[in-house]
Amino acid sequence: MSIMKWPASGILRTILFGLALSTGFADSAVAQQAMADARPKLKLTVAISSASFAWLPYLVADGAGYLKDEGIEVQNVSIGTNTAPIAALLGGSVDVAAVGVQAALAAAARKQHIRVLAPLTTEFTAVMFGRKDAMAKAGIKPDAPLAERVRALKGMRVAVCNSGCSTDLLLRYLLATYAPEINPDRDLQIVPILEAGSVRASMSRGLIDFALFSPPVPQRAIADGYAAPYIDTIAGEVPATKGMVFSALLVNEASLKKNPEALRGLVRAVARAMKLIHEDPAKAGAAARKFMPDMDDQVWNAAMRQMVAATPKSPVVSVEGLKKFGDLMSYGPVKYKLDYAALPVNDLVESALKTTP
């Protein structure tokens, strides 16, 4: 655990806080700030692959000042895609990584010492949206039964993040489950597009028909007028993904030993953020806004409304939710055998929720 020693100024702040108590101002903003300032600082370096709604509870915890309330000085670093934050975590250059849980399961399958600290989303957040003219040409409506919508993908160009990524796996699951007569590698064109802006550009020019991406990409395409929702996994239209742990905060064994107090504070801050997202989405959205300040208000608000349903109500990790993602991974080229119960650190999480800083 990395804790800074109190300087003389810290002792002075403690004295001032005591004076505030003695004069009856313990509930005042001054006294509360003095208490926060007097607390020894804990430090965490957190890897985030991108500014994304996939990490919403963490972004709210930071933006709302909940991490500061816990006495945590956090440094957010952007380190590429999911595999890069995992490498940084294993290498010890970061203490925590916010990533899609697929990367965590793959790392665990390679016997790397990755643990899941807290879920950030418990629904598959990459929803399917498509060009309105492609839907019209196929004669399919967005409110048709799920199997009909999946069968209508035959002959279409469908964008996923990459071969073997979570959206590719979901597409293959949907076809195998609801339209087994369709061969995904022969009867439609799967187009890997990693960058969100390229998805919108390709769809607006008619180069792809459908795409699977997380908010705010669908909301932006819909707001532009050429796209419409098609399959809403966040709303539970795909039963197999309901309750699935989709993104999470990860730690390794070294960071658990080094920073237990800071990690407990992180858990409490994230728990407060989850509560705020469910009880006051507008206030939660305002807190997270600093991470994506240039987004159009209409798109931001639409994405926030949708992400409420994907946000867990507790930072306790569901083993069943992890297994649901593991089951989805079986539709990819690599088959994993994992001890899902060994991945969470729910003992630390539960102890954190029982204590106050």
Side-chain angles (χ1 to χ4, degrees):
M1 178 170 59
S2 176
I3 303 178
M4 296 177 64
K5 293 182 178 180
W6 287 16
S9 59
I11 297 173
L12 177 60
R13 283 193 294 267
T14 305
I15 295 171
L16 290 174
F17 175 61
L19 290 172
L21 285 173
S22 66
T23 53
F25 293 109
D27 293 330
S28 70
V30 173
Q32 291 176 19
Q33 186 61 49
M35 182 169 60
D37 289 344
R39 187 184 305 138
K41 296 297 183 184
L42 305 169
K43 291 187 176 182
L44 286 176
T45 302
V46 181
I48 304 178
S49 58
S50 62
S52 168
F53 279 90
W55 336 119
L56 183 60
Y58 175 76
L59 301 184
V60 172
D62 190 349
Y66 296 160
L67 293 169
K68 184 178 179 181
D69 291 347
E70 294 289 339
I72 300 173
E73 291 181 355
V74 65
Q75 179 184 7
N76 296 315
V77 293
S78 179
I79 311 180
T81 59
N82 280 344
T83 54
I86 291 283
L89 183 61
L90 292 171
S93 59
V94 301
D95 303 302
V96 182
V99 299
V101 80
Q102 180 180 4
L105 298 184
R110 293 191 293 267
K111 307 301 182 183
Q112 295 171 331
H113 298 296
I114 292 294
R115 304 291 297 277
V116 183
L117 178 67
L120 294 176
T121 53
T122 46
E123 297 293 346
F124 195 102
T125 64
V127 300
M128 185 177 286
F129 59 103
R131 288 187 58 86
K132 292 178 181 178
D133 57 0
M135 296 182 206
K137 183 178 179 180
I140 195 75
K141 295 182 178 180
D143 59 352
L146 180 59
E148 289 184 23
R149 281 176 280 163
V150 175
R151 285 195 295 270
L153 296 174
K154 184 175 182 179
M156 298 292 184
R157 297 160 297 180
V158 184
V160 299
C161 55
N162 212 340
S163 177
C165 75
S166 60
T167 50
D168 182 49
L169 296 175
L170 180 65
L171 177 60
R172 292 175 184 276
Y173 163 78
L174 290 171
L175 293 168
T177 305
Y178 297 99
E181 71 279 7
I182 297 177
N183 184 320
D185 299 309
R186 182 193 65 211
D187 298 329
L188 66 155
Q189 184 179 351
I190 301 177
V191 184
I193 304 179
L194 187 60
E195 210 278 319
S198 299
V199 172
R200 292 168 54 220
S202 296
M203 186 174 286
S204 66
R205 296 201 300 267
L207 300 178
I208 58 173
D209 304 305
F210 292 89
L212 274 157
F213 266 79
S214 296
V217 181
Q219 286 78 11
R220 282 175 162 164
I222 292 165
D224 288 342
Y226 55 81
Y230 197 64
I231 298 176
D232 190 347
T233 48
I234 295 178
E237 288 193 329
V238 181
T241 67
K242 190 155 185 64
M244 174 185 289
V245 178
F246 187 67
S247 62
L249 292 174
L250 307 183
V251 292
N252 64 8
E253 297 293 347
S255 55
L256 284 171
K257 293 176 182 178
K258 174 186 174 185
N259 296 307
E261 186 177 345
L263 294 177
R264 281 191 284 269
L266 173 59
V267 166
R268 287 190 292 268
V270 168
R272 287 180 67 189
M274 290 173 177
K275 188 172 187 290
L276 185 66
I277 291 167
H278 285 283
E279 294 183 354
D280 194 341
K283 187 175 181 180
R289 197 72 156 95
K290 74 173 188 178
F291 294 96
M292 292 173 269
D294 298 328
M295 191 177 300
D296 176 81
D297 286 344
Q298 179 184 352
V299 173
W300 176 272
N301 292 334
M304 274 298 304
R305 285 193 297 271
Q306 190 167 35
M307 286 302 297
V308 171
T311 300
K313 294 185 177 180
S314 167
V316 175
V317 178
S318 163
V319 174
E320 180 60 28
L322 291 175
K323 186 178 183 303
K324 282 195 170 190
F325 202 108
D327 291 342
L328 185 67
M329 291 172 73
S330 68
Y331 289 86
V334 181
K335 314 301 179 187
Y336 296 107
K337 290 185 178 180
L338 290 170
D339 180 3
Y340 297 98
L343 293 176
V345 285
N346 283 337
D347 53 346
L348 182 146
V349 172
E350 290 167 353
S351 69
L353 298 177
K354 292 176 182 178
T355 58
T356 56

